[in-house]
Amino acid sequence: MNKMTPERTMLADSVPQKDGRISVPIDLLVLGVRLVEGLSVVLAGGVALYLWAQRIPEVEFQTYTRAIIGGGLIFALFAEMLGSYDIDAHFSLRRAWQRVMMAWGMAAAFMVIMGFLLKASEDFSRGWALTWFASATVMLLGTRAAMTLWMRRMKRQGVFNSRVAIFGAAAQGERMARYIRGNQRLTISLVGFFDDRQDGRVPMVVDGLPLLGTSDDLIACIRQGHVDQVIVALPWSAEARIQQLVAKFAMTPVRIRLAPDLASFAFLHRPLVLLGDVPVLTLFERPISGMDAVLKRVEDWALTLGILFFVWPVMLLAAIAIKLDTPGPVFFRQPREGFNNQPFRVWKFRSMTHDECEVDGIRQATRNDKRVTRVGAVLRRTSIDELPQLFNVLTGDMSLVGPRPHAASTRAGGRLFNDVVATYAARHKVKPGITGWAQVCGWRGETDTEDKLVKRLEHDLHYIENWSIGFDLYILVRTVFAVMVPRNAF
């Protein structure tokens, strides 16, 4: 290494020194949380056994003890699988409680099911089991709350923080520093910047952090124990320079990381996966794909057949009423845009006079629309006119729950939907639905203003990004109440 100049020595001396505070690896405390929570489950089982000791034969204590230890191990397994000990769960009490209680609930359910399958459930006291579940719940919530608050306090004191230097004081390094300082979950203390360009091409202060010297100065700081980690923030196009620096820093006993290229900062929240041995960013996933798509299809078939079993008399009465009210067919098929913008024809009960049913240049129904028949008004108000779309679900063109299908010619505020919102087509990444998140939240009916369309699209995209079977069932339950108290349906 070249001998350091007085200027470089002064810069290196400005690096924060060790302040005598003990640095604790966060992984060590996380291990402690695992042990404490596992023991809490076991201890809660022991407490329950003590409380019910007079009602449990002493000869069965050993069986109960094995069940308690097994319960602790099963809880530990589920807690690990659900991410209860991930870093983000140690500084967010809400997230921690959610994961811990889900793990304990799943562990309890697993033990009940196994007891039933093995015909062993009759061997255990139900009072003891309920006491164990309740006391373990209290102990887990209390333990995690105490540990989370304690770890938050230690984090604020910088106990977990590693001292990080950024090599590269240009725009890429500045953006990296801004991201680190703005992310409260990171356990990092930024030391400052280092850069070999000392001819005025980089500023002496970047985002409030000093420029401390060159790569030689950085190595000297590492040797003196002032830096724990180095982030190289140079453009990825400077491949030769990056390789030289990495080879140089590789001789030091610290962690070396490569910051994202400038373009990658736009996709920081996207997951990084391995394509073979090559890391790639996943910009967008196909929503509701793989096993999720299979589950949603099974959900659609099972629930649709169940609904048809109960509503076929209503559909029959609706068909008779339409025939008696006005001349024309009972059903009306209208073109819509479905999954991947593919056209299909949606089934509906005819609610307008036969000569006013539009296939092209479709106009949305408005309040007191003269095209709507007397029976049609009732059908639309109660959403019975949508029931034939259950056949669209069975044929695979639609789902029970999803963004409502719109005609390509539909307008909002006089403009086509695609012209109002450039990302409108994103709602076609999944199959359209008979009901949806936007509809149960009140964004149904006529889109006479552009703002109504924007709100509807926001809700549709929220559904696509957060889909789950539970979310679908929640929307279906809310749909029942929305039908009972209709709004914006005419």
Side-chain angles (χ1 to χ4, degrees):
M1 185 189 304
N2 296 332
K3 187 176 180 179
M4 293 179 64
T5 63
E7 292 80 4
R8 291 183 179 178
T9 303
M10 180 181 66
L11 288 169
D13 287 344
S14 64
V15 176
Q17 309 294 307
K18 293 183 179 179
D19 56 5
R21 182 181 297 145
I22 298 175
S23 179
V24 179
I26 193 169
D27 291 341
L28 184 61
L29 284 187
V30 172
L31 176 61
V33 175
R34 286 186 175 94
L35 294 174
V36 168
E37 290 186 347
L39 290 174
S40 295
V41 171
V42 174
L43 180 61
V47 170
L49 184 59
Y50 174 78
L51 294 175
W52 288 84
Q54 305 215 353
R55 299 192 182 187
I56 298 173
E58 190 173 346
V59 293
E60 296 182 8
F61 276 23
Q62 190 173 2
T63 302
Y64 277 76
T65 301
R66 285 197 296 266
I68 292 170
I69 295 174
L73 294 174
I74 293 169
F75 164 75
L77 178 62
F78 278 115
E80 201 69 45
M81 291 170 58
L82 294 172
S84 300
Y85 305 112
D86 292 350
I87 296 299
D88 62 336
H90 288 288
F91 301 114
S92 169
L93 190 55
R94 178 184 61 83
R95 190 176 293 119
W97 275 354
Q98 283 179 345
R99 296 181 188 178
V100 169
M101 290 317 303
M102 187 177 296
W104 177 228
M106 291 176 66
F110 178 82
M111 287 186 285
V112 170
I113 293 171
M114 290 304 297
F116 174 77
L117 294 176
L118 297 175
K119 298 182 179 180
S121 56
E122 295 297 327
D123 299 336
F124 294 92
S125 164
R126 286 169 175 76
W128 165 80
L130 291 173
T131 303
W132 182 21
F133 181 79
S135 57
T137 298
V138 173
M139 292 180 70
L140 285 171
L141 292 177
T143 298
R144 181 53 74 99
M147 295 296 290
T148 298
L149 294 175
W150 181 48
M151 292 180 72
R152 278 182 182 174
R153 180 180 178 185
M154 295 180 71
K155 184 178 181 295
R156 286 194 298 268
Q157 295 173 349
V159 173
F160 307 127
N161 287 6
S162 59
R163 295 159 301 172
V164 175
I166 297 178
F167 187 90
Q172 189 171 344
E174 181 180 3
R175 192 169 297 184
M176 189 71 218
R178 195 177 303 127
Y179 172 78
I180 291 173
R181 298 172 86 177
N183 193 322
Q184 298 299 319
R185 293 179 298 176
L186 297 177
T187 53
I188 286 177
S189 293
L190 284 177
V191 169
F193 288 91
F194 292 82
D195 202 303
D196 285 334
R197 293 167 292 184
Q198 299 290 314
D199 53 0
R201 286 186 291 169
V202 291
M204 297 301 294
V205 177
V206 181
D207 195 36
L209 293 169
L211 178 66
L212 299 175
T214 65
S215 57
D216 290 335
D217 299 325
L218 176 53
I219 290 176
C221 290
I222 295 172
R223 299 294 187 203
Q224 295 168 16
H226 303 323
V227 175
D228 303 313
Q229 183 181 156
V230 175
I231 297 178
V232 178
L234 295 178
W236 287 7
S237 57
E239 181 182 356
R241 179 61 179 146
I242 291 175
Q243 288 182 347
Q244 290 174 0
L245 286 167
V246 169
K248 191 173 184 179
F249 297 148
M251 301 298 106
T252 62
V254 296
R255 177 177 291 166
I256 310 296
R257 284 178 166 161
L258 181 64
D261 208 5
L262 272 175
S264 302
F265 277 95
F267 308 105
L268 282 177
H269 300 292
R270 303 300 182 185
L272 186 68
V273 298
L274 288 177
L275 191 65
D277 295 325
V278 179
V280 293
L281 279 174
T282 302
L283 301 184
F284 294 99
E285 287 278 11
R286 175 174 174 171
I288 316 182
S289 59
M291 185 53 66
D292 286 344
V294 174
L295 290 174
K296 187 162 176 64
R297 188 65 182 138
V298 171
E299 172 198 37
D300 285 337
W301 262 85
L303 293 180
T304 298
L305 292 175
I307 292 170
L308 282 172
F309 179 79
F310 289 102
V311 304
W312 72 264
V314 177
M315 296 178 68
L316 179 60
L317 290 174
I320 295 172
I322 292 170
K323 266 299 184 185
L324 295 176
D325 185 41
T326 57
V330 170
F331 297 105
F332 174 59
R333 296 188 68 191
Q334 199 174 53
R336 291 286 192 270
E337 288 186 328
F339 173 69
N340 202 19
N341 286 66
Q342 294 300 307
F344 74 101
R345 288 187 174 272
V346 66
W347 287 88
K348 300 183 75 171
F349 279 126
R350 181 174 58 84
S351 59
M352 296 184 178
T353 56
H354 178 53
D355 56 343
E356 292 286 354
C357 291
E358 301 167 339
V359 176
D360 298 317
I362 299 168
R363 292 172 294 158
Q364 285 183 307
T366 58
R367 192 177 299 277
N368 301 320
D369 198 315
K370 295 182 178 180
R371 298 173 296 168
V372 179
T373 65
R374 290 174 300 172
V375 170
V378 176
L379 297 180
R380 297 176 73 93
R381 193 174 304 114
T382 58
S383 297
I384 293 175
D385 65 319
E386 309 284 0
L387 289 179
Q389 291 170 34
L390 293 169
F391 300 121
N392 286 113
V393 176
L394 292 178
T395 58
D397 290 325
M398 295 178 63
S399 287
L400 278 175
V401 182
R404 286 291 296 147
H406 296 148
S409 59
T410 316
R411 298 173 182 269
R415 298 171 62 199
L416 292 173
F417 283 0
N418 282 315
D419 295 335
V420 175
V421 184
T423 57
Y424 174 77
R427 67 197 302 275
H428 295 140
K429 293 196 291 185
V430 299
K431 290 180 182 180
I434 297 178
T435 185
W437 182 234
Q439 282 63 45
V440 300
C441 290
W443 299 105
R444 60 176 299 194
E446 183 185 10
T447 51
D448 52 342
T449 65
E450 295 183 3
D451 183 60
K452 288 183 179 180
L453 174 62
V454 172
K455 289 294 185 182
R456 184 177 296 185
L457 179 62
E458 287 176 354
H459 284 72
D460 287 339
L461 296 182
H462 174 81
Y463 168 78
I464 293 172
E465 293 173 3
N466 297 277
W467 174 85
S468 69
I469 295 290
F471 196 14
D472 274 358
L473 296 177
Y474 175 69
I475 291 172
L476 288 171
V477 171
R478 285 194 55 173
T479 298
V480 175
F481 292 100
V483 170
M484 292 171 62
V485 187
R487 293 186 297 171
N488 303 327
F490 34 79

